[in-house]
Amino acid sequence: MNGKIKQQIGLIQSVPQCIKDAEGTAEKIKEQYPRLRSRDSKRGAKKSLEFFEAVAYHLKRLQQLESGGATE
């Protein structure tokens, strides 16, 4: 299957959708964090949170660069 067909049938998400998903996942982790009990669970949640926040940040930067709106 070529890339265009995959995108048309929804197998490849758009960059804005990926950003939305990463931010939503990060938000869920933030909400669950206070209820975690073990140190290992909290450590894993913190690593996951950092990862999804980084994904959202870098995808936003990519989106800016693609649109020609790079500011730095």
Side-chain angles (χ1 to χ4, degrees):
M1 243 190 277
N2 69 29
K4 188 169 186 158
I5 293 172
K6 287 180 185 177
Q7 194 167 12
Q8 287 174 346
I9 60 174
L11 296 177
I12 300 174
Q13 293 182 328
S14 65
V15 172
Q17 184 61 46
C18 289
I19 292 169
K20 183 179 173 185
D21 289 350
E23 289 175 335
T25 301
E27 200 56 42
K28 284 181 187 176
I29 294 169
K30 285 180 191 176
E31 290 170 5
Q32 293 171 352
Y33 189 83
R35 294 189 294 277
L36 298 175
R37 293 182 179 203
S38 75
R39 188 179 322 141
D40 288 341
S41 294
K42 287 188 177 195
R43 189 178 303 131
K46 185 176 181 184
K47 286 178 101 173
S48 294
L49 177 61
E50 290 170 352
F51 172 78
F52 284 106
E53 287 178 335
V55 167
Y57 170 80
H58 289 295
L59 286 173
K60 286 178 182 178
R61 292 282 297 133
L62 176 65
Q63 198 173 37
Q64 286 176 343
L65 291 171
E66 286 181 342
S67 68
T71 56
E72 227 184 293

